[in-house]
Amino acid sequence: MKVTYNWLKDFVEIKIPPKELAARLTMAGLEVTSLEEREGDFVFEIEITSNRPDWLSVIGIAREVAAITGKKLLLLAKLRTRAAGAQPFSIKVENKKDCPLYTAKIIRGVKVGESPEWLKNRLRLVGSRSVNNIVDITNYILFEWGEPLHAFDLGRLSSQGSISVRRAKPGEKVVTIDGEEKALSQDMLVIADSLRPVAVAGIMGGKDTEVTWGTRDILLEAAVFNPALIRCSRQLLKLQSESAYRFERSVDAAIVEEASLRAVELITQISGGMFVCAKSSGVKQKRPGPISISLSRVNKALGRAIALREAKDILSSLGFKLGAGRKDNLRVTPPSHRPDVKLEVDLIEEVARISGYDKVPLTLPRVSPRIIPSVKRDLIMLIKDSLLGLGLNEVITYSLIDRSLLQVLHKGQEERAVEILNPLSSEQEVLRVSLIPSLARCASYNLKQKQPYVNIFEIAKVFSKSAPLPLEEYSLGIAFCGSKPLWLGEEGILQDAPGFLHLKGVIEATLKRLGIKETRFLEKNENEFLVQVQDKNLGELRRVKREELEELEIKNKELFLAEINLEKLFSFIRLDKKFTPLPKFPAILRDISVDIQEEVSVEKVLSLIERLGGPLLESAQLRDYYKGKQVEMGFKNLTISCRYSDKERTLAEEEIEPLHDKIIQGLKEELKARIR
């Protein structure tokens, strides 16, 4: 919005220089982005916020200047112009919601020509070119009052006794004043005569009825249109105009009649003619209800004492009507040009900005922190700490993924995915139902960046379709890929490739820290394992298949992934700790080295040992796992350490020997193990 210093002085007696005025306007919320001296005047360019349409006029800004400087707003005396005839004319508004108010005035016998220099100069300074005296006057009123006007050549309307405001009909077109033919839709509002549309309401007039040098009679339009409808039409037609800019933000119905009469007065003064008809349709003004404001709450909010008289003066200068209230309360009625003021806090803001934000004392706010415990958040942090301690790196990926990636790594899950109606790109089509696709893509990206080894994890939400809103659940995802170099001293460097055992070890160590000890891993097939706690499935381990690796552009490497449903896991976590005193009596350790068939799980071996060991067997742990040349094909070698102890006494060798032999014999008979 541009406005000039001299134009403001028509309405306010300004004593301060333009530069100081610009600074004070900015401090009051009207940010002056530039101040330029031109042709003996100063042009202010002001950034207007969308909630203040009243600032889109010289009078609106002059009202703010008057309040800031403590001067009186010098408005023109109300015009008493009356039509000098009773020419019949009708206005038909199809839908009052589309057009709450429409006024029409007819002036006959005008002489269209050049505008006077003062008018052309003012328009030029605010960025508007001169067309002719009639059009220039409508533009002048638009900038001065904030009310867009439009002048039709009455003689070129097919029905000179009526005008209608309606939605466009299918197939209708209009040639706008810029010479472009526009196809209209039923979502657009038009001004029409008896045969055709003659203007796109609130946006731009039609070429066929524009005012030219041969125009003698004019129809002057001033109206209020539905802001949403104007915005939609403008976007569809790809048009922009000063009128549309104001109608989109809503105009004050209370000024429509007065702005229109002001234009009539200027037209008859500058171009002659006779004002012969005035008609209107709709409501001219809406009366907002009063708002109660307490001076004590104003002072509390601002942190300083504001006198009642000062608060009244500020609100009065901005056009608010004041009424008496109880004690220090005021009953304040906002003016029609302030639809943004609805609550007491809005009034407090008005008092604050006009009295000066610089007068608000600089004090440190009193902060009373209130810690709200979040068990879920604390558990997630504990899981993250555990994984970081195990050497993994945390990543954060997007919640949106592309459907093709979901189809590659989670076939059959597409129906559960929540679709985005208007995705920004093909890579953000659906909300992820699993962390596995995101981590797989992240691993692929890191390998392309020449990272030899990827060990990452993420804790985030996954989503699935559910009524009435999508279901959100926390999930833990882990990914291993590549080869990790291990320094072995003089023996050189060994490339350690991750596998299922790495994933299993990380998950077991993490769950153990959470107080979960009985974790089981059940093999579904050679590429998948289920993770179970107390016979409930919590997640899965996966080795990505070769065809899936090709889709991910991962070559000559294996990718292992794991995902755990944390919402299910939380119910099994036990963080209470119980102190166990150190044993008073020494334990006896015995190792068992066996060759056993590959399909026999380690869990089955340990379960058998614990069952046969009885109460004297304190624990049985896997110490070594080996497959190689020294072990027959189809077998694996396990070394298991058995710890025997008793809380009441020292065990004798004679007690342990038969028990240990019993365990060995059980392994041979039940699992067909070969003892080394």
Side-chain angles (χ1 to χ4, degrees), residues 47-336:
E47 186 73 30
I48 305 298
T49 55
S50 59
N51 67 322
R52 293 301 303 269
D54 58 304
W55 286 345
L56 293 172
S57 66
V58 176
I59 290 176
I61 295 174
R63 186 183 293 109
E64 296 289 321
V65 173
I68 292 168
T69 59
K71 301 295 183 179
K72 187 177 180 181
L73 184 65
L74 306 173
L75 288 177
L76 299 172
K78 281 191 177 283
L79 299 172
R80 301 298 179 185
T81 306
R82 294 287 183 271
Q87 177 176 331
F89 190 85
S90 66
I91 300 171
K92 182 182 178 182
V93 178
E94 191 176 78
N95 189 328
K96 293 295 183 181
K97 291 183 179 180
D98 292 346
C99 178
L101 175 63
Y102 192 92
T103 69
K105 293 176 175 58
I106 295 176
I107 307 171
R108 293 190 178 277
V110 298
K111 184 177 181 181
V112 180
E114 290 280 348
S115 295
E117 283 303 315
W118 70 267
L119 179 54
K120 290 195 288 186
N121 289 342
R122 281 206 166 165
L123 292 176
R124 184 170 58 250
L125 288 175
V126 295
S128 180
R129 67 181 181 88
S130 176
V131 179
N132 57 54
N133 50 12
I134 303 297
V135 175
D136 289 355
I137 288 170
T138 61
N139 288 333
Y140 182 84
I141 296 300
L142 177 144
F143 288 111
E144 185 174 78
W145 289 78
E147 167 58 32
L149 305 176
H150 184 70
F152 296 96
D153 185 331
L154 186 64
R156 298 168 74 178
L157 293 174
S158 62
S159 54
Q160 298 186 19
S162 66
I163 200 81
S164 65
V165 184
R166 59 172 173 83
R167 297 289 183 100
K169 297 176 183 178
E172 283 189 323
K173 296 180 180 180
V174 65
V175 178
T176 52
I177 56 175
D178 59 1
E180 296 286 334
E181 184 179 69
K182 300 292 183 181
L184 304 174
S185 72
Q186 291 175 288
D187 295 326
M188 299 176 188
L189 191 66
V190 297
I191 312 300
D193 59 15
S194 60
L195 298 178
R196 69 203 190 284
V198 294
V200 183
I203 301 174
M204 193 171 289
K207 186 77 174 175
D208 293 342
T209 57
E210 69 174 337
V211 173
T212 64
W213 294 82
T215 299
R216 291 294 174 264
D217 304 325
I218 63 171
L219 171 65
L220 184 66
E221 168 194 283
V224 175
F225 299 114
N226 185 316
L229 194 59
I230 299 301
R231 180 176 177 82
C232 179
S233 300
R234 178 187 62 77
Q235 289 179 330
L236 290 173
L237 294 172
K238 298 180 180 179
L239 289 172
Q240 182 59 281
S241 66
E242 291 286 352
S243 297
Y245 188 77
R246 285 159 177 78
F247 279 126
E248 284 181 19
R249 288 154 179 78
S250 79
V251 298
D252 181 12
I255 67 168
V256 171
E257 183 66 22
E258 196 160 355
S260 179
L261 289 174
R262 171 67 172 154
V264 169
E265 182 183 56
L266 289 175
I267 290 171
T268 54
Q269 287 177 358
I270 294 172
S271 62
M274 179 177 291
F275 177 31
V276 298
C277 179
K279 295 290 182 178
S280 68
S281 174
V283 180
K284 296 184 179 181
Q285 186 174 358
K286 293 182 179 179
R287 296 184 179 276
I291 303 169
S292 179
I293 180 174
S294 167
L295 189 63
S296 60
R297 284 194 288 271
V298 173
N299 293 337
K300 183 179 180 180
L302 302 186
R304 71 184 188 92
I306 298 280
L308 183 61
R309 181 73 263 165
E310 182 182 359
K312 285 184 175 181
D313 289 344
I314 289 173
L315 294 173
S316 296
S317 65
L318 292 171
F320 292 87
K321 293 182 179 180
L322 305 179
R326 297 179 181 178
K327 296 182 180 179
D328 65 344
N329 282 15
L330 290 174
R331 298 280 288 175
V332 181
T333 302
S336 59

Side-chain angles (χ1 to χ4, degrees), residues 447 480-482 497-499 527 543-544 546 549 554-560:
L447 292 171
F480 282 106
C481 190
N527 292 317
R543 174 167 47 202
V544 179
R546 179 53 50 192
L549 290 174
I554 297 177
K555 300 178 180 179
N556 304 320
K557 290 180 175 63
E558 287 195 307
L559 174 60
F560 292 86

